[in-house]
Amino acid sequence: MIIVLKPECSREQLVSFKEQLENNYAVKVNTWEGVHSTVLGLIGDTTAIDIDYISAQDIVDDVRRVQEPYKKANRKFHPENTVIELSNGTKIGDGGLVLMAGPCSVESREQVCSIAKSVKASGAQILRGGAFKPRTSPYAFQGLKAEGLDLLKDARRETGLPIVTEIMRTSHIDMFENVDIIQVGARNMQNFELLKELGKTNKPILLKRGLSSTIEELLMSAEYIMAGGNDKVILCERGIRTYETFTRNTLDLSAVPILKSLSHLPVIVDPSHATGKSWLVESMSMAAVAAGADGLIIEVHNNPKCALCDGAQSLTPEQFDKVAGKVNGLKKYLNENE
Ligand code: PEP
Ligand code: MN
């Protein structure tokens, strides 16, 4: 961290400010005294320093970080990739490609079980499905809630596929005890109380990027979970809000290599919510794999026209089968030609 002091800063103020920094934080302060102003360079762990607090000091002219404000998620302090292993042995982040597929929302036992069987046959390793749905309208279908969770578990029993499903509130954590991966949706990416509580669990967490969140904010949200002791975080790029209206969101594919260089956590891509259009899912899935994604999460419905949620972006099982074949072929090619 670099702090530029105002020219009028007195020697006593400088000495006392340096002491305050060195006593309160795990840092050593270097000083460069110039003709017009003095610059402090803080060496050490600056993650706990509130940059707003520093800039609010009367003697401070400017302050900036030279090191990222997240530590546990940072590749600099953990160079090897984090590999998350589920109880059935499925690995995320080990250099392979993990396909998570299933309906936006669980609608019935028949629906979720039939989709689970078909996506498994196409090579998906994890079943997705929403039981608690964050909908823009309070009048829209809100999910089957606890019953939806039970139906997902039925589908897991029938197929052996681990399940990933979204949590919306802290008080539900116990209810998600038997879920393989807990999803934090885009709308809750900065629900810090939820993130802190999830940090106390040892469940893998699929953390989706917020609609208007920066890459650094996504990593800071991962840091919230990891700071609590849970380092099993999977990052998900699912498109962000831009001025473009053709697609539901704008898929920020550059986030994939950026996240992978800044962090050791696995990164997956959701081409369904990113585009909102089923016909764009195949090309964006291919692009995501080419960009280095560790996996994809794709919405699949047995009858998209009648889906209770997100039918326009859902693939049919046949379409998913084709996409799965293509992305796995591409991944194999990339791994063989590294
Ligand atoms: C979902 O995956 O069902 C979902 C609601 O996604 P997001 O939080 O990315 O909008
Ligand atoms: Mn959806």
Side-chain angles (χ1 to χ4, degrees), residues 116-175:
K117 281 181 201 149
S118 52
V119 298
K120 182 182 180 186
S122 301
Q125 296 101 317
I126 297 169
L127 174 66
R128 67 145 286 147
F132 294 88
K133 294 302 303 175
R135 303 303 301 278
T136 303
S137 165
Y139 309 115
F141 175 59
Q142 304 286 308
L144 294 182
K145 308 193 173 86
E147 187 196 346
L149 287 184
D150 289 340
L151 298 181
L152 278 169
K153 289 175 200 161
D154 288 347
R156 177 174 61 191
R157 216 171 296 120
E158 285 202 19
T159 58
L161 290 181
I163 52 179
V164 54
T165 191
E166 178 167 356
I167 194 165
M168 298 224 286
R169 52 167 99 158
T170 308
S171 59
H172 285 173
I173 289 181
D174 288 346
M175 214 193 279

Side-chain angles (χ1 to χ4, degrees), residues 77-97:
F77 306 110
H78 187 296
E80 325 77 57
N81 289 327
T82 282
V83 179
I84 295 173
E85 186 166 354
L86 306 183
S87 49
N88 75 338
T90 302
K91 289 188 180 141
I92 305 157
D94 69 344
L97 183 70

Side-chain angles (χ1 to χ4, degrees), residues 3-21 36-40 53-63:
I3 302 174
V4 181
L5 300 178
K6 287 184 179 156
E8 60 267 28
C9 173
S10 69
R11 175 140 298 273
E12 293 71 44
Q13 284 174 310
L14 166 65
V15 171
S16 119
F17 187 47
K18 275 180 66 173
E19 263 176 26
Q20 188 199 333
L21 291 170
H36 301 294
S37 57
T38 299
V39 175
L40 305 180
Y53 169 78
I54 302 293
S55 56
Q57 304 307 305
D58 286 341
I59 56 167
V60 171
D61 195 24
D62 195 12
V63 54

Side-chain angles (χ1 to χ4, degrees), residues 103-105 128 133 248 273 299 309-310 313:
C104 177
S105 310
R128 67 145 286 147
K133 294 302 303 175
R248 185 175 179 183
H273 291 89
E299 287 189 342
C309 185
D310 288 350
Q313 68 194 33

